[in-house]
Amino acid sequence: MRGKSRWVVTVAAFAALGGIVAGCGDSDSIGDSSTPAAAGLDVAGAQAELDKFMAAPTFTAPGAAVDAAAAKGKKVAIIPASSNVPFVTTIADGMVKIGKEAGLDVSVFKNQGSPAEWTKGVSDAISKNVDSIDLLAGIDPKAVSAQVTQATGADKKVIVTHLYDVDQAVDPAVTAATNIPYKQAGKLLADWVIAKTAGKANVLVTTINQVNSTVPMTEGIDEEFAAKCGDGCKVTKIDSTIADLGKLQQQVQSALTGDPSINYVINLYDSAQAPQTEAAIKALGRDDLKIATFNGTPDILKLITADSVIQMDVGENLEWIAYGAIDNHLRVLSGGEATATPNIPIRVFDATNVAESTADGQGFGTAFRDEYKKLWGLK
């Protein structure tokens, strides 16, 4: 199977982020999938929402102009959730490159994904007298609360990147957060399923409740099904921890066997869940079942075709995330305020536009690079 070895590595690396015993079998139903004409059914509305996110996004400035020169030479330490996860390391590497171009001295504390290492990373950054610290892509500030308090008490800025939704409350112990539209991504996943099943969805959603972003994403899914599918859709959720992702294939097979009428699957996190879900679908011979997912991991996007099991991915752009993160560091390090509107976009990829994801900018255009540099006074 194409890409199988990469999937195994990715899932194993993702598992390094956690070690809590899985809690599975969480189920939530909205209506009855057999209902032929649901109250509030709005298939056209669901498709209209998808259409808004099919094209490459345009740049919207996250705030006022920033004087990058005022932050020149400032030190930024990145503590990634795990140096074993390509998604995370790609953002970190991008931040190093972009930060250097903006005049910052950016370093990365490599680790295997344990809270003890995160603690050491923040302490190491404080000892090296950095000016700001970035908790990147999955570290809840509460896991390193004592060190965060120590850092801010020593006048270090602490920014959390890629953890909270744009409308989610941020831990008051940190300086700021560079947020992602997770809830909107969840809504788009639901819109896709509503549109593809003509409002008669019996959907299985695989979650990782251990991950902060799961909360707004599932809220978006539930709200959109309630708003546009009414009583016509049924939603069943199964949860696993990061450490137990290796058991996901069996979980999915059990759910599909228990309810053969399930007609779509939503995986919240593509590289961590979609490969095992696809394996479960194929093991059961369910050629009719398709997957919608989130993250836009390149190896997963490559698999999307008109006939593939994975049909749609709400994608992020890792380079844009890196720019957005550096933008926030520049704001606070130049004496300004962090932005609450980073405006980091997402895009719906399917068979009609996924080819663009391999172009420069990965389907998000390239204008954002120059726009950030103009905003920072570098162009």
Side-chain angles (χ1 to χ4, degrees), residues 283-349:
L284 294 174
R286 289 290 308 273
D287 294 338
D288 59 307
L289 272 176
K290 304 297 182 182
I291 296 170
T293 189
F294 166 73
N295 270 155
T297 301
D299 280 352
I300 301 299
L301 289 174
K302 291 174 185 176
L303 302 176
I304 296 177
T305 68
D307 300 320
S308 60
V309 174
I310 303 169
Q311 284 280 291
M312 173 269 217
D313 202 322
V314 181
E316 303 175 271
N317 182 282
L318 277 59
E319 185 182 9
W320 202 317
I321 293 169
Y323 269 103
I326 291 298
D327 177 80
N328 243 346
H329 283 280
L330 286 172
R331 288 177 185 279
V332 299
L333 293 176
S334 61
E337 296 291 328
T339 180
T341 55
N343 297 328
I344 297 171
I346 52 179
R347 183 182 182 185
V348 172
F349 289 103

Side-chain angles (χ1 to χ4, degrees), residues 234-255:
K234 178 181 178 182
V235 178
T236 301
K237 301 186 182 81
I238 57 173
D239 184 61
S240 61
T241 64
I242 296 167
D244 279 345
L245 280 169
K247 302 175 183 177
L248 183 61
Q249 179 178 341
Q250 185 55 52
Q251 277 185 268
V252 172
Q253 285 184 217
S254 296

Side-chain angles (χ1 to χ4, degrees), residues 3 24 29 58 64 95 110 131 155 169 174 250 260 262 264 279 292 318 324 345 355:
C24 58
S29 296
T58 56
M95 290 175 65
K110 294 185 178 180
D131 299 287
D155 201 28
V174 302
Q250 185 55 52
I262 289 173
Y264 227 99
L318 277 59

Side-chain angles (χ1 to χ4, degrees), residues 31-119:
D32 180 351
S33 61
S34 64
T35 305
L41 180 61
D42 186 8
V43 176
Q47 185 61 56
E49 287 301 308
L50 291 165
D51 291 342
K52 294 177 185 178
F53 290 85
M54 293 296 293
T58 56
F59 178 83
T60 301
V66 181
D67 181 12
K72 187 174 182 178
K74 298 280 188 176
K75 296 180 180 179
V76 179
I78 302 170
I79 319 298
S82 172
S83 300
N84 287 333
V85 181
F87 179 89
V88 180
T89 57
T90 300
I91 298 173
D93 291 345
M95 290 175 65
V96 171
K97 177 179 179 292
I98 296 161
K100 182 178 180 180
E101 292 172 354
L104 299 175
D105 180 359
V106 186
S107 61
V108 180
F109 182 83
K110 294 185 178 180
N111 68 87
Q112 305 304 303
S114 72
E117 290 175 298
W118 303 338
T119 296

